Amino acid sequence: MGDENSNPGSLEEKADQVTEVTPFAGDDASLESIVRRFQDSMSVEKTHKFWETQPVGQFKDIGDTSLPEGPIEAATPLSEVKQEPYNLPAAYEWTTCDMKSDEVCSEVYNLLKNNYVEDDENMFRFNYSKEFLSWALRPPGYYQSWHIGVRAKVSKKLVAFISGVPARIRVRDDVVKMAEINFLCVHKKLRSKRLAPVMIKEVTRRVHLENIWQAAYTAGVVLPTPVSTCQYWHRTLNPKKLIDVGFSRLGARMTMSRTIKLYKLPDVPVTPGFRKMEPCDVPAVTRLLRNYLSQFVVATDFDENDVEHWLLPREDVVDSYLVESPETHDVTDFCSFYTLPSTILGNPNYSTLKAAYSYYNVATKTTFLQLMNDALIVAKQKGFDVFNALDVMHNESFLKELKFGPGDGQLHYYLYNYRLRSAVKPSELGLVLL
Amino acid sequence: MGDWAQLAQSVILGLIFSYLLAKLISIVVTFKEDNLSLTRHHDPEPELNLKPEVDSRGRIESSTGEADSVIAEQGSSRGDSVGGDSEEEVEEEEDDDDWEGVESTELDEAFSAATLFVTTAASDRLSQKVPSDVQQQLYGLYKIATEGPCTAPQPSALKITARAKWQAWQKLGAMPPEEAMEKYIEIVTQLYPTWLDGGVKAGSGSKDEAVSNTGGTMGPVFSSLVYEEESQNELKIDAIHEFAREGEVENLLKSIESGIQVNARDSEGRTPLHWAIDRGHLEIAKLLVDKKADVNAKDNEGQTPLHYAVVCDREAIAEFLVKQKANTASKDDDGNSPLDLCESDWPWLRDSAKQTD
């Protein structure tokens, strides 16, 4: 390995090396060049090799406006869909997880609790509650066959999971039936077994069997090719705890006392008529939401059944509030957030970080700022430590003013087998995946 | 005699011709097959933890007969990475038997890295440089390691390459997958002794480790606040405040002994006692009070150390200050006393406020 390779982190450098290597390929397939190509390709090319074989927007097509928008591959006849599950390594077997069963739900919960997404420094790990999983995986018209587990044959232990749920997602003028793919998790001890690819293929197969050919998913990394790239923002509600657990930092020149004052919120919401959403509000909220979401390029398409499932308040899962005009009794504004705690790893004082995640919000009469400030107030009342939001929809208009700070996490949105001519701005996206 | 020779000649020619024809067909067929099988067997993966992890090195070195201590080291560092959660560790240790033969070993990981190397950088070179029997051997070992003994039906004799591959797999019989992995790595290491050098370095970027730890491709992201240095903060602060803030007892004592004022103010009017309390250092607070720090010093906003203790919810310190006759009714510039600002239920604070009334 020559000196040239002293900076393996730089992308430019990598690109240079690849072009440098090629001229020598013919005469001398030197070990160095092979090894170097290997190392280079590990990081960029190889990661995407799988996706280059998939019907997803390809990097090489970026900027090519001649390609039509819409499905990349046409639907194939159902009889041509592979009927048998993909093969797993010999020690494992497929299982379909019945999320109605408390026992199975607990197994999935425990797998995720111990093995799901962590932050870069491994200080926090998502801890989706059982109630949350049961809610997230059983929306109207869900398919149990899309709740896919992998068990060890001998012990029957659940070692991996992936899921899809049906959703209608509108892309410009077309409402497309899609699967939202989520909760891909492989046990820590099996990370090198390469289970994830076959799990993705299996869930795709089972989605196809229901005659659905598109999917939406998110990832923290860049794959071919993001439909949109969003940024997480965080509003501190409990500064002392967030600093103690390392979620945020106290600058040396800043006092805790002043930080606490900075994030202080009123005790109760300020908007007259601000109250919890109730079942009788479903039609009004649906109208409000459909109207609001119609302005985004890519957005979820909610009907009343969806609103009833996704937005009616559920204890420790999802909270929804609205503003009912004291005079006309019209529902004029709506806000919601879901509850996603994380396990705090290795802190002697705290074990759980309680985070609220902004979901869907619509303001028509109240200012967006005041509406969201009231959302912060109720979140604080309910004991949340932090309120998180993506810069999707119109969220950008309140983030800075309400003292949200930028996060270190980017979230990329993807569509499977659906091409968009170009990526959309976060503010053109009306979709939140859990 | 001549007839017989002629007949034999034409039979031989016919045989040669039909052999060549069969060969041609089989080449055409296998050419297509090979292309297909290349994508099939070396199925690229959507997993993001594709780089050989630091772990891999331990195993590679062991397979080439090197220090076991490296493995031990790797083992412990692996433990650490999960070990933040001690409960989980305990819980997992209990059912470790369940993982017998299922758990992915370091060998798995080295094998993964080796197959990846072969399928990426080396695939086209292999065909030029490596004899086909070695290629077939690699293929057979790969199949054993990933799928177990060969149960597929024998391909037709016309498909020469496919048949050779099948035979390579078949002849390994019921070789244990571990052995197949080890042999595979051995062959790759013989062919390309340096294949992993530097790969470890390249793979140890924090981003990649994070990806491999989270193991995720799809799904949500855990984001936390980016630290932003307060730019407009023009605070001027002395060393003694910093010692109090950081809880540095010895330096603080030295400062005081060298004659620095124990009630020295920073540009915001805070004393070292304010800073010690803000950061929750009870021992430092005690020491400062011991050195005659003013428990009722006000900062530029009129707040006393007790205001700070109450706002920061530091009960032990607040109680200590109250015992040291801190004024619970002292109003800050917003007109709030420590009692007004207290959100916790601290009876001793209320009681002492009554007494001072």
Side-chain angles (χ1 to χ4, degrees), chain B residues 77-206:
Chain B
S77 78
R78 278 183 91 198
D80 289 346
S81 71
V82 193
D85 196 345
S86 57
E87 272 175 66
E88 182 201 317
E89 281 295 288
V90 173
E91 181 195 305
E92 286 191 351
E93 268 165 32
E94 281 168 13
D95 51 22
D96 247 6
D97 288 350
D98 292 352
W99 294 98
E100 197 72 38
V102 172
E103 178 180 348
S104 77
T105 58
E106 296 181 347
L107 180 64
D108 283 317
E109 281 153 33
F111 175 70
S112 292
T115 56
L116 200 54
F117 172 72
V118 170
T119 57
T120 54
S123 58
D124 49 341
R125 319 282 172 155
L126 272 177
S127 52
Q128 297 163 19
K129 290 192 70 186
V130 179
S132 64
D133 61 319
V134 177
Q135 283 186 53
Q136 280 151 14
Q137 204 182 342
L138 281 176
Y139 171 84
L141 292 167
Y142 178 86
K143 296 298 269 186
I144 291 282
T146 54
E147 291 180 34
C150 176
T151 53
Q154 183 171 15
S156 133
L158 292 177
K159 301 173 180 174
I160 291 173
T161 316
R163 198 178 163 100
K165 282 179 167 179
W166 180 86
Q167 277 165 346
W169 184 10
Q170 169 78 18
K171 80 170 180 215
L172 295 176
M175 175 188 275
E178 293 75 26
E179 194 184 330
M181 290 186 200
E182 277 167 14
K183 289 206 167 133
Y184 188 100
I185 294 163
E186 217 172 282
I187 293 174
V188 173
T189 309
Q190 273 166 17
L191 291 171
Y192 307 103
T194 60
W195 70 276
L196 205 62
D197 290 2
V200 171
K201 211 198 311 167
S204 64
S206 64

Side-chain angles (χ1 to χ4, degrees), chain A residues 85-338:
Chain A
Y86 283 90
N87 286 333
L88 281 170
Y92 310 100
E93 62 193 15
W94 295 111
T95 179
T96 296
C97 295
D98 176 4
M99 296 303 289
K100 292 192 299 298
S101 147
D102 190 59
E103 201 186 324
V104 174
C105 193
S106 295
E107 283 186 282
V108 175
Y109 166 76
N110 282 316
L111 175 73
L112 294 175
K113 174 178 169 265
N114 294 319
N115 302 282
Y116 203 35
V117 175
E118 297 178 8
D119 64 310
D120 286 355
E121 275 91 41
N122 310 106
M123 294 163 69
F124 307 97
R125 190 187 308 129
F126 283 138
N127 183 9
Y128 287 88
S129 70
K130 270 174 70 175
E131 296 71 25
F132 190 109
L133 293 172
S134 170
W135 169 69
L137 294 175
R138 297 196 297 133
Y142 78 92
Y143 301 97
Q144 190 174 309
S145 62
W146 293 4
H147 303 157
I148 306 170
V150 173
R151 290 187 191 280
K153 270 186 191 160
V154 179
S155 67
K156 298 296 170 198
K157 194 176 171 107
L158 187 71
V159 297
F161 185 76
I162 191 167
S163 71
V165 291
R168 289 183 318 280
I169 293 174
R170 184 182 50 75
V171 185
R172 301 194 206 278
D173 296 327
D174 296 323
V175 176
V176 185
K177 275 192 100 174
M178 297 199 191
E180 290 178 356
I181 305 299
N182 206 345
F183 303 113
L184 167 58
C185 178
V186 177
H187 196 286
K188 278 178 185 250
K189 291 191 174 185
L190 305 177
R191 286 288 154 81
S192 60
K193 289 280 190 184
R194 288 157 298 137
L195 284 175
V198 71
M199 297 184 71
I200 293 169
K201 283 195 266 182
E202 181 63 11
V203 75
T204 307
R205 188 185 71 84
R206 296 197 195 185
V207 169
H208 287 165
L209 284 175
E210 302 299 339
N211 202 20
I212 292 176
W213 305 89
Q214 273 73 35
Y217 52 98
T218 58
V221 290
V222 178
L223 307 167
T225 298
V227 165
S228 189
T229 294
C230 304
Q231 161 92 48
Y232 264 113
W233 290 72
H234 311 280
R235 171 49 158 91
T236 296
L237 299 175
N238 186 348
K240 197 173 155 208
K241 178 171 171 184
L242 292 188
I243 289 164
D244 282 356
V245 303
F247 185 90
S248 60
R249 266 182 61 191
L250 180 60
R253 308 167 72 77
M254 188 68 176
T255 59
M256 183 72 90
S257 164
R258 193 168 280 181
T259 307
I260 289 169
K261 274 180 246 166
L262 176 68
Y263 293 116
K264 213 159 183 59
L265 286 162
D267 291 334
V268 288
V270 301
T271 312
F274 186 90
R275 65 165 173 84
K276 205 169 169 170
M277 179 187 176
E278 287 168 27
C280 63
D281 300 315
V282 167
V285 168
T286 308
R287 277 196 301 277
L288 210 56
L289 208 56
R290 288 190 67 85
N291 190 41
Y292 178 65
L293 291 174
S294 67
Q295 65 193 300
F296 303 108
V297 177
V298 178
T300 190
D301 182 80
F302 273 164
D303 63 19
E304 290 190 7
N305 287 331
D306 301 311
V307 168
E308 187 179 337
H309 177 83
W310 291 118
L311 295 170
L312 261 189
R314 286 173 195 239
E315 184 82 25
D316 295 327
V317 173
V318 62
D319 284 282
S320 300
Y321 291 83
L322 49 77
V323 180
E324 180 187 326
S325 160
E327 295 88 39
T328 64
H329 297 287
D330 286 343
V331 174
T332 55
D333 313 276
F334 173 82
C335 61
S336 57
F337 53 87
Y338 58 88

